[in-house]
Amino acid sequence: MDLGIKGKRALVCASSKGLGLGCAEALAEAGVDLVMNARTDGPLQEAAQTIRDRFGVEVVAVAADITTEDGRAKVLKAAGEVDILVNNAGGPPPGMWTDWERDDFIAALDANMLTPIALIKALVPAMMERGWGRVVNITSQSVKAPIAVLGLSNSARAGLTGYVAGTSRQVAPSGVTMNNLLPGIHATDRAVSLDTGVSTQQGITMDEARAAREATIPARRYGTREEFGATCAFLCSKHAGFIVGQNILLDGGGVNSTL
Ligand code: NAP
């Protein structure tokens, strides 16, 4: 299918690895020029060059922490005007509800709620003036069904979800759509680190830890960054202009709900 976005320009945050990289690759395959970002320069430059070589699109790579004001300023300066914004960053650490104080919540809100909102505020007005734009926020299945040890993530992502629900309706008349993609378990570095924790705590092998987690997913496997990226690219396509303010789960059926 021709996604109809060849020649558009996208900022994909936190995209040297994992789900962000999957989104960058799928957009590049559709002919979209990219601004990619991550904190660590080496893997970011490598990912950017691989995408240039594979898809022949322009890629600007900006090493910066997107959750800081300075980092965002650096990325926005390099990005200029974009047609597509994919918001992403690392998730907050796990813990117990008794562990978290005000500063922990402020850090989580800054990273997973206020950073995407700041980027939306910086980039969406020009999309509205041009009459076309796409915003996709990578959140989590924890928005639909809480993951108890991820209380900071549950809280910050729910806040972003509420913001997007209202704001997406305000910008839709100008041809800008805003939606959230909710990953369940995907085979990225984050999944490896979660499995490592389980394997150490329970004294089982990594394969056993993964098999136990796969058994809880109706699809009986982890998702891939490629299928996640393809969904993101579709949401950014010309065909998705009527999808507004939605929360789309990619979880192999992991969240057990009817709606
Ligand atoms: P990942 O494989 O660990 O990749 C994270 C990417 O983001 C890397 O490129 C990393 O590069 C970059 N990054 C992290 N923090 C950043 C920051 N502050 N500024 C700029 N770049 C940053 O993670 P993932 O699995 O793709 O997860 C992406 C998001 O989805 C996370 O918020 C995660 O909590 C959420 N999620 C993931 C899953 C899953 O199963 N994978 C499930 C639910 C939710 P640097 O380290 O070099 O910055």
Side-chain angles (χ1 to χ4, degrees), residues 86-99:
V86 180
N87 274 315
N88 185 32
M96 279 296 288
W97 64 275
T98 44
D99 295 340

Side-chain angles (χ1 to χ4, degrees), residues 14-22 36-38 40 43 47 88 188-189 225:
S15 55
S16 66
K17 295 179 187 168
L19 305 179
L21 177 59
M36 292 174 67
N37 154 256
T40 321
N88 185 32
T188 67
D189 284 2
R225 75 164 196 252

Side-chain angles (χ1 to χ4, degrees), residues 96-120:
M96 279 296 288
W97 64 275
T98 44
D99 295 340
W100 303 312
E101 302 300 338
R102 179 182 164 77
D103 285 352
D104 302 303
F105 282 100
I106 298 292
L109 292 173
D110 261 342
N112 297 108
M113 179 183 172
L114 299 175
T115 289
I117 291 174
L119 293 170
I120 285 167

Side-chain angles (χ1 to χ4, degrees), residues 13-20 37-41 43 64-67 88-92 112 138-141 153 157 183-191 194:
C13 302
S15 55
S16 66
K17 295 179 187 168
L19 305 179
N37 154 256
R39 291 165 302 183
T40 321
D41 196 44
D65 184 340
I66 200 68
T67 67
N88 185 32
N112 297 108
I138 300 181
T139 64
S140 172
Q141 63 180 352
S153 171
R157 297 189 197 279
I185 305 302
H186 282 72
T188 67
D189 284 2
R190 184 170 163 91
L194 289 172

Side-chain angles (χ1 to χ4, degrees), residues 3-6 8-9 27 32 82-85 123-135 171-177 233-241:
L3 296 185
I5 48 177
K6 190 174 165 44
K8 301 247 185 235
R9 185 173 162 85
L27 287 167
V32 174
V82 300
D83 309 290
I84 295 167
L85 166 63
L123 295 170
V124 166
M127 293 181 197
M128 293 171 75
E129 268 170 38
R130 291 193 300 273
W132 196 95
R134 298 282 185 263
V135 178
V171 303
S174 301
V176 177
T177 71
F234 179 76
L235 275 183
C236 296
S237 75
K238 71 170 183 186
H239 308 294

